[in-house]
């Protein structure tokens, strides 16, 4: 397969416009399409705003050059017909994903690759009826993809096996950090790891061991620091004199007991969620959520700039 | 209770010497004791080295002034007899913790407070026989405490209830981020959250969904970024238009299914640990562990400096 030069973005909300930046900043030509005319009309301005923010912290140099590689298409066919790679980021519901996949399928080059930004629905749930279904897979980013580099590549059972290693190389070339999920599983890797930690957090809160604020502080000022530059296996590998095997021998029994405490998981009940929501709304009123999201995005951008400035 | 001015450090390995920096940099007078003469002889040099590293990234200004507040005591009694607060950081085994707690108990002021750096053993397991047992609790830091600020305060059933709020205020004054664990539980909050994520990571690896390296990358280049400045509840609170309650409604069922997949937890088996260890040792030979730990500590220090430079 030839390197990806022409990219189509289908669905140009926050995720899709972030993807447009990812591909354009590494030199690809990007055609963006969204079914909403208002989104098509505003997407280039939003992308320019993001690029200007990124330039301020040194994440990009030439905003005009990057933005100049991105154009908006008025029809899906116009966006995807010439694309080597199509990144689909529409609303996450099986019927919506199925409809857009069939529409892409009808307009794409037979040798193009289609990655879906789906964060939980596997590609097998919405690509079975596609003529070119062997060209489809999940390419799940973290939002926003132009700041958080990880992308989970999850093939459907019918995805051409050559696509995963090819896209892994290509995504790395575009500055992302691809990880391969060898076969489909609910939540893929990222959201399963998040879910496991969240489930324990909810249980500890429910049982009265700590406030949501203190559980949050345990991560934000403790556990999460190493995890922003090392994964959980490397963390424990470095945390015992003899490496991960030594660590497992010392602490495996403790962690097994943690799991044994949770063999009858309950759903996050309405009452429980209500208590955490009440604590959160006291700490941050609902009308301040948008401001806090802007704060988060600024912190994230400066953290990414900090990480890029590290020599290794 | 009066603000803490005189601190004793009992056990002066990596954790204890880090604690000495924490208290001395905020102006406290610190007396350090370790049963090993070689550690007593070297601890001030190690502390000066750490302070010099911290000065390089702007975390402290005046190394001499801070180091000047730290002295070494030749006996336990000499270290603790005048202390307002005693931080114990000896080897984590019940018999060792019990013996040192009894020795501290015999030498301390009746109104002093004793915090143990125990990362998993609750204070009730090693302070029951102390005359002043109501003055003991766990003050569990992350290593190294002078860089990672979180400290878990975990009272034993007999800890004076006035101590926890007092020490919370004092630890915050010393620049730490105290969290309160309302009652004892194996692993406290931090290691339970870590364990929950690790257990899912081991299971995903064991079932062949991804390599240890890719699971690590999912955290280090994805999930872990936000968690280095926001906790898990705040993260999901900002990740749905209507906040945490909205998020729980959308994604609660997915996360419940993650938990339902793990209702028969197995210990980390020798065979499984061996496979991850083999992958790790291929990525990082055993003889390079020490170099990689130095890399980690440098990254951690620069991350902490980055975090401190953020305005909020």
């Amino acid at each position: 397969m030839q390197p990806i030069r022409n990219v189509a973005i289908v669905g140009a909300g926050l995720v899709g416009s972030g993807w447009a930046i990812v591909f354009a900043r590494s030199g690809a030509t990007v055609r963006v399409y969204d079914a909403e005319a208002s989104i098509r009309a505003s997407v280039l301005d939003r992308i320019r705003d993001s690029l200007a923010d990124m330039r301020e912290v040194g994440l990009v140099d030439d905003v005009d050059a990057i933005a100049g590689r991105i154009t908006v298409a008025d029809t899906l066919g116009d966006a995807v017909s010439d694309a080597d790679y199509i990144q689909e980021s529409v609303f996450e519901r099986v019927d919506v994903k199925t409809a857009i996949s069939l529409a892409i399928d009808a307009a794409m080059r037979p040798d193009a690759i289609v990655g879906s930004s789906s964060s939980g629905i596997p590609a097998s749930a919405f690509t079975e009826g596609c003529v070119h279904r062997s060209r489809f897979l999940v390419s799940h980013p973290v939002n926003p993809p132009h700041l958080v580099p990880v992308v989970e590549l999850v093939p459907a059972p019918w995805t051409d096996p050559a696509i995963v290693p090819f896209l892994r190389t290509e995504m790395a070339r575009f500055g992302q950090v691809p990880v391969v999920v060898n076969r489909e599983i609910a939540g893929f890797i990222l959201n399963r790891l998040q879910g496991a930690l969240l489930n324990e957090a909810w249980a500890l809160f429910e049982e009265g061991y700590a406030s949501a604020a203190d559980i949050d502080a345990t991560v934000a000022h403790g556990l999460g620091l190493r995890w922003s530059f090392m994964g959980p296996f490397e963390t424990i590998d470095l945390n015992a004199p003899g490496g991960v095997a030594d660590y497992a021998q010392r602490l495996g029994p403790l962690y097994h007991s943690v799991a044994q405490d949770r063999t009858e998981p309950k759903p996050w009940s309405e009452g429980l969620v209500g208590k955490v929501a009440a604590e959160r709304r006291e700490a941050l009123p609902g009308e301040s959520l948008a401001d806090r999201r802007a704060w988060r995005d600024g912190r994230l951008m400066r953290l990414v700039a900090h990480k890029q400035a590290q020599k290794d």
Side-chain angles (χ1 to χ4, degrees), chain A:
Chain A
M1 284 177 269
Q2 296 298 309
I4 293 168
R5 300 193 194 288
N6 295 309
V7 174
I9 301 294
V10 176
L14 280 174
V15 178
S17 57
W19 273 119
I21 292 172
V22 167
F23 294 111
R25 77 179 164 198
S26 293
T29 300
V30 179
R31 294 282 279 163
V32 178
Y33 173 75
D34 195 285
E36 286 280 340
S38 65
I39 290 181
R40 293 199 301 275
S42 64
V43 61
L44 286 183
D45 284 343
R46 280 190 286 117
I47 286 173
R48 277 192 170 275
D49 288 348
S50 295
L51 286 167
D53 290 342
M54 292 170 78
R55 184 172 50 189
E56 257 184 56
V57 298
L59 285 173
V60 299
D61 285 328
D62 192 338
V63 169
D64 287 338
I66 297 169
R69 286 191 279 272
I70 305 172
T71 52
V72 175
D74 283 330
T75 66
L76 178 69
D78 184 23
V80 309
S81 61
D82 193 39
D84 306 312
Y85 179 72
I86 299 152
Q87 182 75 41
E88 169 271 300
S89 311
V90 303
F91 187 69
E92 184 139 340
R93 218 173 61 199
V94 172
D95 58 338
V96 179
K97 292 278 191 202
T98 303
I100 198 75
S101 297
L102 289 168
I104 291 170
D105 187 50
M108 68 189 273
R109 279 187 359 226
D111 65 334
I113 296 169
V114 188
S116 171
S117 297
S118 169
S119 68
I121 308 175
S124 61
F126 54 85
T127 65
E128 188 169 8
C130 294
V131 174
H132 306 297
R133 67 181 193 174
S134 71
R135 313 300 299 171
F136 285 72
L137 78 168
V138 163
S139 302
H140 170 229
V142 173
N143 202 15
H146 60 285
L147 293 181
V148 185
V150 82
V151 50
E152 296 185 279
L153 304 179
V154 194
W158 46 73
T159 304
D160 178 347
I163 285 179
V164 169
F166 169 76
L167 198 55
R168 176 169 205 144
T169 304
E170 288 294 284
M171 283 288 183
R173 188 169 64 80
F174 284 113
Q176 301 303 90
V177 176
V179 301
V180 173
V181 185
N182 293 316
R183 58 187 197 281
E184 294 180 339
I185 183 171
F188 313 140
I189 303 293
L190 188 140
N191 279 325
R192 291 187 76 87
L193 295 176
Q194 174 166 231
L197 186 139
L198 279 170
N199 284 329
E200 182 63 26
W202 284 102
L204 289 166
F205 177 88
E206 184 164 33
E207 293 164 2
Y209 285 105
S211 65
D214 275 6
I215 292 170
D216 269 358
T218 307
V219 173
H221 302 283
L223 200 47
L225 272 63
R226 285 179 181 79
W227 283 349
S228 72
F229 61 90
M230 292 196 307
F233 285 120
E234 180 162 16
T235 296
I236 64 174
D237 193 35
L238 302 183
N239 253 355
V244 62
D246 186 14
Y247 184 95
Q249 194 165 27
R250 292 165 190 244
L251 285 156
L254 170 66
Y255 292 135
H256 184 51
S257 81
V258 170
Q260 285 174 309
D261 287 343
R262 308 300 182 201
T263 54
E264 291 175 21
K266 291 176 286 183
W268 305 350
S269 73
E270 218 170 295
L272 172 61
V273 170
K275 279 181 201 163
V276 169
E279 191 188 318
R280 285 294 309 157
R281 289 295 69 79
E282 200 171 329
L284 182 78
E287 60 269 27
S288 302
L289 277 165
D291 283 350
R292 190 69 176 168
R293 286 191 192 104
W295 165 85
R296 172 199 63 193
D297 292 345
R299 284 292 298 253
L300 201 50
M301 194 161 54
R302 295 191 295 277
L303 173 64
V304 170
H306 161 79
K307 287 189 68 171
Q308 290 198 0
Q310 305 303 306
K311 282 177 195 75
D312 55 6

